[in-house]
Amino acid sequence: MPGQTSDDLLALFDAAPLNRRYWVAFILLSALFVLEFFDFLVVGYLLAVLAPQWHLTYGQSAVILYSGGAGTFICAAASGLMGVVPSGAWEVFAILRFFIGVGLTAGVTPSLAIQVELTPTRHRTFLTSFYLVFASAGGFLASAASAALIEPIGWRGVAMLGMAPAVVGLLIWRWCPESIRWLAAKGRFAEARAEVARQLDVPLDSVPLPTIPPSTQPRGKLSELYRRPALFWETCIIWGGSSVAGYGVYLWGPTIVALVLGVPVKVAAGYFVFVTLGGVTGKVIVTLLAPLTGRRWLGAVWGFGGVAALAAAGYYNNAMFGGLPAMVMLLCASTFFIEGGFANFAPYTVERYGVRLGARASGLGQAANGVGKILGPLSLALIAGTGNIVKAETTADAVLPAYLFLAFCMLLVGLSFVFLGVETHGKAMGIGDEEPAAQPRAMALGTEAR
């Protein structure tokens, strides 16, 4: 039809059922999340073994932990090579961790944008929040594997398990479709039309072919992310603050628990099975609540909840409650809020920036996330003294101020949602970098049916 835009094509896509093609992509992208985060977080358990064996200082330990913040296959190869690092060669270990961080960011950034763009508007808030559960599942896998295998196969064997993402990367390459929204934004209408026909399982001729090119297309000008400064800084604050808190808990946590409570690393890893389950639970609850409450106020509540849990974990770090370590219970509460928040704001960032800048915005979030991966582990090292050997007494003295710092980061997250946040739930993603628009009637049919 002459003069036709991409709106009708996208409306058809938004009304499409969640068929086998969608679920294959969802499962593969979720598996990538699980295995990439396993690779990144398993180092917390390896370090709890290596720090005493190699007589590492807090500074050397922090370099190993935060080097990941400075492609999928890079991550897998580097994780596997950690298993053959010579004893005491902490510098080599840190370099491999750097490449794991590169791989994690390269794999997660586009996969998040693709998942948001592949999901019809009527299902987007629920399914994209649920997708983030699998990042926490990677942390759960890291803690469970460490608790079960670190003694029978050693730390080297556990490190080599991280080569699994390479297999998933090949499957994603073969089976995941390109984003229809992105193809339409680029003016690649024939490819977008073919994908819609496959998604609907209808003849190609029955799907309209747009003829009017988009006024603007996705491109690589990162400076455009700052066109709306409030949104730019909101993205940096919510990603960076949550990342500082989350990685501070996960990467130092096993060492802190083992030293402060005086338990073996295997026991500490067992405790962290429950800590990571707290994160999984938080993401599941957010997934269920977000379609009912919207994203903005949910983000604020979860941010302030993280403040309370982290401050309490630091204050009661050596107390017992009902025969259980209070610190472990409160760390479970902290990951409930920190990880739950990620399930809310990770897709929120892409939604706010729109299709044209969504992937770039996800990259901006990952850049702030990378800063958090550095500051989170570095915070305890600076407070404890980077030149000091990792030991129980020094760690115990540093726990309260370190956790108060992590709580302050979550306070910034909560305040950012209150003062800078905009609701995106139920609003169709724009092609450009405008705010998400009220959902057009053609795209709202599925929502009304629900």
Side-chain angles (χ1 to χ4, degrees):
M1 181 181 298
Q4 196 164 36
T5 70
S6 61
D7 289 348
D8 289 339
L9 185 66
L10 294 177
L12 276 175
F13 169 70
D14 254 333
L18 300 179
N19 59 12
R20 182 174 62 86
R21 283 175 57 79
Y22 176 85
W23 290 115
V24 167
F26 185 92
I27 290 169
L28 290 176
L29 292 170
S30 299
L32 174 68
F33 252 39
V34 172
L35 296 175
E36 294 275 22
F37 278 91
F38 168 84
D39 280 359
F40 194 84
L41 295 174
V42 74
V43 71
Y45 307 96
L46 304 183
L47 185 66
V49 175
L50 297 179
Q53 288 184 6
W54 292 2
H55 306 291
L56 300 179
T57 65
Y58 286 95
Q60 292 166 339
S61 300
V63 170
I64 290 174
L65 291 177
Y66 70 58
S67 55
T72 300
F73 301 104
I74 296 174
C75 181
S79 187
L81 288 172
M82 285 198 309
V84 294
V85 172
S87 294
W90 68 270
E91 300 96 333
V92 177
F93 203 100
I95 291 171
L96 292 173
R97 286 288 303 163
F98 168 81
F99 284 107
I100 288 176
V102 171
L104 177 70
T105 302
V108 167
T109 300
S111 68
L112 174 61
I114 289 172
Q115 189 62 62
V116 172
E117 293 171 12
L118 285 178
T119 305
T121 302
R122 66 189 188 278
H123 298 299
R124 192 184 67 217
T125 301
F126 176 81
L127 286 175
T128 57
S129 294
F130 181 64
Y131 174 64
L132 270 294
V133 171
F134 294 95
S136 291
F140 173 77
L141 182 63
S143 60
S146 299
L149 300 176
I150 207 159
E151 288 187 357
I153 68 174
W155 70 267
R156 297 180 187 275
V158 173
M160 288 183 175
L161 294 176
M163 299 182 73
V167 177
V168 178
L170 289 172
L171 294 174
I172 289 174
W173 194 352
R174 174 66 179 83
W175 293 106
C176 283
E178 184 55 86
S179 161
I180 293 169
R181 301 183 198 278
W182 184 82
L183 290 172
K186 289 288 288 183
R188 292 162 59 175
F189 295 141
E191 295 171 70
R193 180 195 191 197
E195 284 293 340
V196 171
R198 281 190 283 267
Q199 191 73 22
L200 292 171
D201 195 22
V202 298
L204 183 62
D205 291 344
S206 66
V207 178
L209 177 64
T211 56
I212 300 177
S215 58
T216 55
Q217 294 187 10
R219 53 182 186 265
K221 286 189 176 181
L222 298 179
S223 60
E224 291 187 80
L225 294 172
Y226 198 70
R227 183 171 294 172
R228 288 183 283 161
L231 176 54
F232 177 91
W233 289 114
E234 180 193 14
T235 301
C236 292
I237 292 170
I238 60 178
W239 276 90
S242 298
S243 179
V244 170
Y247 289 110
V249 169
Y250 278 123
L251 294 180
W252 272 119
T255 299
I256 291 174
V257 169
L259 292 177
V260 173
L261 300 182
V263 298
V265 173
K266 178 181 178 180
V267 174
Y271 283 144
F272 262 74
V273 170
F274 297 99
V275 174
T276 53
L277 276 176
V280 172
T281 304
K283 285 182 173 176
V284 170
I285 297 299
V286 164
T287 297
L288 297 174
L289 287 179
L292 302 176
T293 66
R295 294 205 184 278
R296 182 189 177 199
W297 290 108
L298 190 63
V301 171
W302 251 245
F304 296 140
V307 174
L310 286 167
Y315 187 79
Y316 296 106
N317 67 82
N318 206 22
M320 301 295 289
F321 183 79
L324 297 173
M327 178 170 62
V328 173
M329 298 169 66
L330 290 165
L331 287 179
C332 292
S334 73
T335 56
F336 175 88
F337 290 109
I338 297 169
E339 294 280 355
F342 270 100
N344 185 51
F345 68 69
Y348 166 84
T349 299
V350 180
E351 292 166 358
R352 282 209 64 187
Y353 268 101
V355 176
R356 192 170 71 84
L357 292 173
R360 304 296 178 193
S362 182
L364 174 63
Q366 289 296 337
N369 194 25
V371 173
K373 292 172 186 175
I374 295 172
L375 292 182
L378 185 60
S379 60
L380 179 69
L382 292 175
I383 292 169
T386 55
N388 292 327
I389 297 293
V390 177
K391 57 184 180 179
E393 297 82 4
T394 310
T395 302
D397 292 340
V399 169
L400 177 57
Y403 279 179
L404 287 177
F405 171 72
L406 302 184
F408 172 74
C409 293
M410 289 303 294
L411 176 63
L412 295 179
V413 172
L415 292 175
S416 178
F417 271 104
V418 171
F419 293 106
L420 300 176
V422 172
E423 188 54 65
T424 62
H425 170 58
K427 298 179 180 179
M429 287 179 63
I431 292 296
D433 60 348
E434 69 278 357
E435 293 289 354
Q439 186 169 283
R441 179 163 182 80
M443 297 183 182
L445 296 176
T447 305
E448 294 171 0
R450 292 181 71 190

